[in-house]
Amino acid sequence: SEQLFVEMADVMAAEGWRDAGYEFVCIDDCWMAPTRDERGRLQADPKRFPSGIRKLADYVHSKGLKLGIYSDVGNKTCAGFPGSYNHYDLDAQTFASWGVDLLKFDGCNSGTLELLAEGYRRMSLALNKTGRSIVYSCEWPFYLRPVQQPNYTEIKQYCNHWRNFFDVYDSWSSIKSILDWTALHQDSIVKIAGPGGWNDPDMAILPGIFVFLSQLVIGNFGLSWDQAVTQMAMWAIMAAPLFMSNDLRHISPEAKWLLQNKEVIAINQDPLGKQGYQITKDKNFELWERPLSGQAYAVAVLNQQEIGGPQKFTLSLTFLGNGLACNPACSIQQVLPASRNWGVYSWVSSLSLEVNPTGTVLLKV
């Protein structure tokens, strides 16, 4: 209901979320009335959004935030509400007239792959034609992948970020499967990411929590502390758009600290805009790095083991940045799970880290 989004906008403005960089309050599927109006336009459900989307957008803007909305490339949304097929220009104009700032465009009920691709292209052009700056969040490659390899160069021409994998759930197995998939496909997806277009590991609706474009399930119930640290660290390494799927009115101080951590957000939002990648996998350990501006690197050491206690990992610094990150020397700052200054190291030295099961140590080198 609109009341939920009003309350969430209030919390985002009052409790530091906006100032940390979380700008968008996003409405997912099911916001619409079951039919279009007499002029063929989408309309909000009159019971749950009695004031209409324009008024909600104005309120969200008054808090220094932006409003995101949902539609679908096919003739029906995933939940069976009216889709945008054959209404791309009209829907784009409607969203612009309401003051919408982001569109999540789903891929259900699209018919053929040709119609899917045509719909994504046409909505992109329609949004641009409105003259309003609207972030375009696509699910194009996710719906293509079972049948054909997505053309990411083309997708980036039309979309600002695009979903690659199944819905994220509030569980370690879900986070793990996203990381495994990303590592497996990194050769085809890492090179395309950059300013203007980003790989989105996942999207979801989490019923009963807060319906948001979803990325970060931190602050709910399914992840341990170490697993929450892993998600935050790895989403920063992957240059993933950070969308929270949680109820900010009832969030623990620990989860808030993690989600608002300025050092992690700075890595995620690094202006160089390069996506990170896995460099090596050794038994239960994974080593990932991400090139940052100013000749720096973000480095993540992930312990995939799920039982036992903390384990030692010895990081040879010659591994990093094709041997360039610490040549001839580098300073190392630990960001997660807690801030720590490791000092200056030479190119040929190594660093011994202790990593908890399903946990991650995130460094800036």
Side-chain angles (χ1 to χ4, degrees), residues 312-316 334 340 342 345 350-354:
K312 274 213 163 27
F313 179 82
T314 302
L315 170 60
S316 174
Q334 181 177 303
R340 174 180 173 179
W342 283 91
Y345 285 74
S350 57
L351 185 66
S352 189
L353 300 167
E354 206 167 68

Side-chain angles (χ1 to χ4, degrees), residues 127-144:
L127 290 170
N128 283 342
K129 214 156 57 177
T130 68
R132 183 171 179 81
S133 178
I134 299 174
V135 175
Y136 187 34
S137 167
C138 300
E139 312 238 335
W140 190 352
F142 174 71
Y143 285 90
L144 275 185

Side-chain angles (χ1 to χ4, degrees), residues 166-170 174-175 178 202-204 206 214-215 217:
F166 294 107
D167 286 355
V168 64
Y169 289 96
D170 188 18
S174 175
I175 303 298
I178 289 165
D202 57 273
M203 293 267 177
L206 295 182
S214 171
Q215 286 283 1
V217 289

Side-chain angles (χ1 to χ4, degrees), residues 238-261:
M238 293 188 293
L242 298 183
F243 287 92
M244 298 178 292
S245 185
N246 51 26
D247 188 338
L248 298 176
R249 298 166 304 179
H250 310 288
I251 193 165
S252 71
E254 297 79 14
K256 185 177 178 183
W257 174 86
L258 182 57
L259 287 162
Q260 291 190 7
N261 187 297

